[in-house]
Amino acid sequence: MAERRMFKKSFFYTDRYFKLSAQAQLLYIHLCFNADDDGFVDNPCFVCRITGADEEDLKALIEKEYLISFDSGIVVIKHWRTHNSIQKDRYKETVYKEEKSMLGVDSYGAYFITEKTVDTDCIQDGYKTDTQVRLGKDSIGEVSIGKEKEDKSLSLSHAREKKSADKSPYGEFDNVMLTEDEFLKTGAVYRERRRRGELEIENQKSHRSVAPRV
């Protein structure tokens, strides 16, 4: 890493820079001294302490866009390339490649955060695919439930048909082969006939009891 750091004079002699507090101005210079060859500083809080600056001074440099901060706690000097031009044989790339990949450089040599565009087509397609999968699963579930009910109905129907088709021997000598349904119908007919016969006998008895004497 190069040991020399350069500063562009016209950058500092501006009203914008002098509106910063004296501690914030000093902090900015020391951060530049402690930056690597790509302008990254991994210990901004430590630099604050050794310069007597505080957290508010660091925040001011970030808010005024002299620094760019990352979630990792690392900061980069936004106008690093405006100040410094390091020869290739002395240049050593920063180890913070992830943070560096988030940056672009404008025509003035200033860093800026690149906007990561979101592929809305992919999101929509993903949503549609997810919806189709869910609908497909629901449809499969409905088909399965319907098929299960149909299978149960068919099984009961087959059981009844089989039960009805099976004949068993009936009668005093087991010589009459009837299905269960036929046997039940025969029993019902027999009971009905017996009831009618009993009624007929009762009627005959009634007629005899009221017959006139000669």
Side-chain angles (χ1 to χ4, degrees), residues 1 24 31-32 35 43-44 70 76 98 121 168 185 187 190 195 206:
M1 184 173 70
L31 287 170
C32 289
N43 58 347
F70 298 92
V76 65
E98 182 178 352
D121 291 337
S168 301
K185 289 179 182 178
Y190 173 77
R195 186 181 66 81
S206 298

Side-chain angles (χ1 to χ4, degrees), residues 1-12:
M1 184 173 70
E3 292 294 325
R4 295 182 180 181
R5 294 295 179 240
M6 296 177 288
F7 297 96
K8 189 174 182 179
K9 181 180 177 181
S10 60
F11 179 85
F12 293 96

Side-chain angles (χ1 to χ4, degrees), residues 42-54:
D42 60 1
N43 58 347
C45 293
F46 173 75
V47 179
C48 279
R49 293 191 186 96
I50 63 175
T51 58
D54 56 26

